[in-house]
């Protein structure tokens, strides 16, 4: 299964919001530098979906705000 996410790095509040089109908006404290925001997104999404972090991987958009994440 693949899901679409929009990441907002350097945010005051961390959280996940479901958007009307079925994608997610994920706000993280981590900056978008050297993959820190990507790691924070995977951690937060794993907690939200109740799956281990090892079951999630970014398949598209690793360097952008819009990402496609695969749940294995």
């Amino acid at each position: 299964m693949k899901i679409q996410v929009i990441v907002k790095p350097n945010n005051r509040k961390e959280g996940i919001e479901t958007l009307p089109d079925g994608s997610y908006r994920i706000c993280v404290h981590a900056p978008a530098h050297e993959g820190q925001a990507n790691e924070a997104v995977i951690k937060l999404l794993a907690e939200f979906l109740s799956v281990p972090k090892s079951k999630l991987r970014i398949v598209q958009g690793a360097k952008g705000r819009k990402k496609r994440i695969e749940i294995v």
Side-chain angles (χ1 to χ4, degrees):
M1 177 177 161
K2 294 180 184 172
I3 59 172
Q4 192 78 19
V5 300
I6 299 171
V7 178
K8 291 190 143 203
N10 293 325
N11 211 313
R12 289 183 184 199
K13 294 173 87 175
E14 283 195 343
I16 297 178
E17 177 185 350
T18 305
L19 300 176
D21 64 355
S23 63
Y24 298 95
R25 179 181 298 136
I26 303 177
C27 301
V28 293
H29 291 300
H33 181 68
E34 295 181 0
Q36 293 175 7
N38 288 342
E39 290 175 19
V41 165
I42 294 295
K43 181 181 175 188
L44 198 60
L45 194 58
E47 291 173 10
F48 181 76
L49 298 174
S50 300
V51 297
K53 291 189 296 186
S54 61
K55 298 290 184 184
L56 300 174
R57 69 183 183 114
I58 299 172
V59 293
Q60 186 177 14
K63 294 189 178 191
R65 288 178 31 134
K66 294 184 179 180
K67 302 178 186 307
R68 182 165 292 156
I69 298 179
E70 182 178 42
I71 305 167
V72 184

